[in-house]
Amino acid sequence: GSTGKGGARKVRATGKVPGVVYGRKLAPIAVTFDEKELFSSLDKEKRRNTVIALAIAGGDGGKAEEVTAMVRDAQINPVSQRLVHVDFLRVDLNEEVHVTVPLVLTGKAVGTTNGGNLHQSLHVISVAAKPAAIPTKLEADVSALDIGDALHVSDLKLGAGVRALLDPRDAIASV
């Protein structure tokens, strides 16, 4: 069945760009895939943590293996902007993975009106979540911050099934 709105899109491993699928204590598999197909499968918002279904063709006309994977690392040629190599990480939809998610501050801190400066100390947050629960981004509302106030990791609204992998006392933003 489908896995909610972030349902895995399929990428057939047959194209031109090399990659490797690793993780879950299995031997890494070298794959090549179609760059356009991969890009069209990646969630525009959360390019890095999109869960996709890779169909890996078996050798000698063997059966294709379906692998649920996430793009862990993509190397892009800075000149041509083409993909050079992609690392896929095998995931289990029922097991947590550790990922980093961008942190976006929203609102206007009260303290900035009183001459303070808003300082964002963390721009990404490391979280653990099952693949389908990985947020696109985390938002923190700084409106209430006055001079000398700070928001901490413990103040983040993480959503169901998402845990921050940072010290809850770490500051994320301060005025």
Side-chain angles (χ1 to χ4, degrees), residues 82-103:
R82 303 294 300 262
L83 277 174
V84 182
H85 185 273
V86 176
D87 285 356
F88 294 98
L89 179 66
R90 279 175 190 267
V91 293
D92 180 329
L93 292 174
N94 300 312
E95 282 180 20
E96 287 188 329
V97 285
H98 292 184
V99 294
T100 54
V101 178
L103 173 65

Side-chain angles (χ1 to χ4, degrees), residues 8-142:
R9 288 124 161 160
K10 292 196 174 159
V11 173
R12 303 245 162 244
T14 49
K16 314 289 175 285
V17 182
V20 64
V21 180
Y22 66 94
R24 314 215 43 230
K25 303 187 177 58
L26 292 158
I29 309 173
V31 293
T32 57
F33 54 87
D34 186 293
E35 179 182 25
K36 283 196 210 57
E37 200 170 353
L38 178 68
F39 270 129
S40 66
S41 302
L42 291 183
D43 192 310
K44 296 294 166 282
E45 284 265 304
K46 65 174 187 201
R47 214 150 260 243
R48 286 189 53 156
N49 299 331
T50 306
V51 176
I52 52 178
L54 276 177
I56 300 176
D60 295 333
K63 236 167 62 70
E65 181 196 359
E66 283 271 324
V67 175
T68 306
M70 275 170 40
V71 174
R72 191 46 154 206
D73 192 37
Q75 294 161 25
I76 294 176
N77 178 318
V79 181
S80 68
Q81 291 297 310
R82 303 294 300 262
L83 277 174
V84 182
H85 185 273
V86 176
D87 285 356
F88 294 98
L89 179 66
R90 279 175 190 267
V91 293
D92 180 329
L93 292 174
N94 300 312
E95 282 180 20
E96 287 188 329
V97 285
H98 292 184
V99 294
T100 54
V101 178
L103 173 65
V104 180
L105 300 182
T106 61
K108 184 170 163 51
V110 177
T112 57
T113 328
N114 307 328
N117 283 322
L118 177 66
H119 174 68
Q120 181 170 356
S121 26
L122 292 174
H123 291 271
V124 291
I125 302 289
S126 298
V127 298
K130 289 180 183 173
I134 295 168
T136 303
K137 56 180 185 281
L138 291 172
E139 294 189 346
D141 184 0
V142 295

Side-chain angles (χ1 to χ4, degrees), residues 133-164:
I134 295 168
T136 303
K137 56 180 185 281
L138 291 172
E139 294 189 346
D141 184 0
V142 295
S143 310
L145 293 185
D146 206 342
I147 293 173
D149 289 344
L151 277 182
H152 299 89
V153 170
S154 56
D155 299 317
L156 286 169
K157 294 182 181 57
L158 291 176
V162 184
R163 293 183 299 121

